[in-house]
Amino acid sequence: LFRSGLVSAKVRVTVGAAFGLCLVGLAEYLARHREKFSIYSPTICAALASGGVITCYAIILAAYDFYQFIPPLFAFSLLAAVAFGAISLALRYGPLLALIGIAGAYAIPALIQSDSNSITTLLVFVSLVSLSGVWVSQKVGQIWPWRLSMIGHFVWAFVAVNHTGPLDIWVWLGFTSPLFLYICFLLPIRWAGHCKSS
């Protein structure tokens, strides 16, 4: 039906989005009824939720770039919502969702191009992503979300420096806040936990 053209592009996008949301909903349903379905590994729910998130990413990008159904700002907002949703789901289904959410969030500004792009908006958005990564790193007890966040953070800093003139000092102070947050708050906690365990 899809290849023959009997189903319109809008229906395809709608069905794809519904499928992605259903996968996330199914992951949540199974997570709440693990004993009923004899699910003893969190990997199953994490895989379903990850598939749903990736499907939603793909459908939004297709609706924006391939079909031109939605404007750039709306596509950016939807992708950001999916990305931050995936990051928050990592607390329930494991770090795999954090990887998808953080990596996807850092890719959004490169995927969505608009004439109204603002460096300040970009830096604020990237800072929120980085702070989310640092927060998830602390919650799940893994160092790699922090490393991924710092890499993405300063890659975008390099891009911003090479494509704009001098920026307002307050923007840059806010942009570097995730690094200072880690150095001043999370690093002492990690060292304290290490000392206690040893």
Side-chain angles (χ1 to χ4, degrees):
L1 291 178
F2 289 100
R3 291 185 177 181
S4 62
L6 296 177
V7 179
S8 67
K10 290 184 179 180
V11 173
R12 298 178 196 178
V13 170
T14 303
V15 171
F19 179 70
L21 293 174
C22 284
L23 285 178
V24 177
L26 179 60
E28 178 63 22
Y29 179 78
L30 293 178
R32 295 189 179 190
H33 302 85
R34 293 186 180 184
E35 295 183 359
K36 179 180 179 180
F37 295 98
S38 301
I39 297 176
Y40 304 106
S41 172
T43 306
I44 296 175
C45 296
L48 287 171
S50 300
V53 169
I54 293 173
T55 300
C56 290
Y57 268 130
I59 289 299
I60 295 170
L61 286 174
Y64 159 70
D65 190 45
F66 189 75
Y67 295 115
Q68 287 86 42
F69 286 157
I70 54 179
L73 181 59
F74 188 50
F76 187 97
S77 301
L78 288 177
L79 288 172
V82 173
F84 286 114
I87 294 173
S88 63
L89 287 175
L91 302 181
R92 182 163 180 79
Y93 301 115
L96 177 61
L97 272 298
L99 173 62
I100 295 172
I102 295 171
Y106 282 125
I108 291 173
L111 295 172
I112 305 297
Q113 300 295 326
S114 172
D115 295 334
S116 60
N117 282 347
S118 165
I119 291 298
T120 300
T121 302
L122 169 66
L123 297 184
V124 169
F125 174 75
V126 172
S127 294
L128 290 175
V129 176
S130 301
L131 286 168
S132 299
V134 173
W135 174 67
V136 168
S137 180
Q138 173 73 358
K139 291 293 185 180
V140 301
Q142 298 286 336
I143 190 62
W144 66 261
W146 173 82
R147 290 175 177 167
L148 179 61
S149 297
M150 290 301 101
I151 291 172
H153 196 79
F154 289 105
V155 164
W156 278 112
F158 178 79
V159 171
V161 166
N162 284 274
H163 286 81
T164 61
L167 296 176
D168 186 84
I169 185 61
W170 296 110
V171 176
W172 278 104
L173 286 176
F175 189 63
T176 56
S177 62
L179 178 61
F180 291 119
L181 177 66
Y182 178 79
I183 293 175
C184 299
F185 181 65
L186 296 181
L187 186 59
I189 291 178
R190 291 186 63 84
W191 275 110
H194 175 73
C195 292
K196 289 181 180 179
S197 61
S198 58

